[in-house]
Amino acid sequence: MASLRRLLRIGALAGSLLLCLIPHLVWRLFRRRSPWPQRFLALAARSVGAKVRIDGKPHHGDMILLANHISWIDILALGGATGAAFVSHDGVARWPVIGWLAAQNNTLFVSRERRGALSGQLDALRAAMLGHQPVALFPEGTTSDGSGLLPFKPSLLAVLFPPPRTVMIQPVHIDYGAATAQIAWHGDEGAGANAMAVLGRKGSLPLTLHFLEPFDPATCPDRKVMAAMARDRIAQSITVHQHPSASPLPPV
């Protein structure tokens, strides 16, 4: 049955791509901003079994989303809900099909290895923000097991000193609930093995995107404080939702 579920979900993914690809190319032909990458990501999340629920209010102005990172499904769900462009390591750009699809959503590919590359990456990120498309960062820099948070890397947040325009930061807690341990892609597990496990999983996958209170980066003296503020809010949300009897989040 797991093999059948994989085939059905892969078929649904392919159908979602075919449904969205042609109108997307037409939008691009007329040099219009295409809504179809966001629609594809939302359909793709459903295709792999995710039932996405929104908790809180996504900020509708110019924003940078800072989120915890557990699975490749994070990108489908968060992109489908917000239309955000993502920052990803440059190895993804070389993945067959996936790299091309990521580029269609204006993904910014950054190098983890090249020294001296940060200045150019900040320029590219600043240019991306000028397009009014939300930008999403996973400041842990990699996926985790979902039980807590890894340290946040603040380097790319230097783009907000000063920001190219008025922009808010909104922390997002990506929450798979009881399924977190089954979904998490971390350690030495390969991408293919994790994808096959997720696609073969029985039943639907409840996924909640907790949009936490946004804050103005201008209130932060530096990027480390900015990263720490976002991390603290996500950590508090993780604690509250993993332990419902814990104290509620304090007002911000």
Side-chain angles (χ1 to χ4, degrees):
M1 291 301 292
S3 296
L4 178 59
R5 287 192 290 269
R6 289 188 194 101
L7 287 174
L8 290 173
R9 286 169 175 162
I10 290 172
L13 281 169
S16 300
L17 177 58
L18 290 174
L19 180 65
C20 298
L21 181 58
I22 294 177
H24 167 69
L25 294 176
V26 171
W27 252 256
R28 282 293 181 91
L29 181 64
F30 288 98
R31 301 184 181 278
R32 296 178 59 190
R33 179 175 172 180
S34 173
W36 291 97
Q38 179 178 359
R39 294 172 184 175
F40 166 70
L41 291 171
L43 287 172
R46 294 180 196 172
S47 297
V48 302
K51 289 190 173 181
V52 180
R53 185 177 75 88
I54 304 297
D55 175 45
K57 296 181 179 179
H59 181 67
H60 292 298
D62 289 332
M63 63 175 171
I64 287 185
L65 302 167
L66 300 182
N68 60 313
H69 198 14
I70 299 169
S71 166
W72 49 272
I73 302 174
D74 302 348
I75 295 171
L76 307 181
L78 189 57
T82 66
F86 290 87
V87 177
S88 177
H89 68 84
D90 56 358
V92 173
R94 297 187 291 271
W95 290 4
V97 182
I98 293 175
W100 183 84
L101 289 173
Q104 301 311 298
N105 193 46
N106 301 320
T107 297
L108 174 63
F109 298 108
V110 300
S111 172
R112 291 178 177 174
E113 285 80 24
R114 283 191 304 146
R115 294 183 178 180
L118 180 60
S119 177
Q121 292 165 6
L122 291 175
D123 289 342
L125 180 54
R126 196 170 282 112
M129 292 170 61
L130 290 172
H132 292 286
Q133 183 176 6
V135 175
L137 299 172
F138 296 118
E140 292 170 287
T142 186
T143 49
S144 73
D145 64 7
S147 62
L149 288 173
L150 299 173
F152 275 18
K153 299 178 180 179
S155 56
L156 287 176
L157 294 179
V159 73
L160 295 172
F161 291 94
R165 58 159 56 92
T166 301
V167 63
M168 296 291 282
I169 291 179
Q170 184 159 38
V172 183
H173 167 204
I174 299 176
D175 182 8
Y176 292 90
T180 298
Q182 301 171 11
I183 295 301
W185 175 26
H186 66 105
D188 296 327
E189 184 180 21
N194 181 268
M196 289 301 100
V198 171
L199 293 173
R201 183 179 181 274
K202 184 177 180 180
S204 61
L205 175 63
L207 193 173
T208 303
L209 299 175
H210 301 281
F211 287 88
L212 308 177
E213 190 68 25
F215 62 92
D216 187 344
T219 63
C220 302
D222 57 50
R223 63 192 184 186
K224 292 182 179 180
V225 171
M226 195 183 303
M229 284 181 63
R231 188 182 187 280
D232 287 347
R233 294 186 187 190
I234 295 171
Q236 290 174 7
S237 182
I238 290 173
T239 298
V240 167
H241 291 94
Q242 286 183 348
H243 307 284
S245 60
S247 300
L249 292 175
V252 179

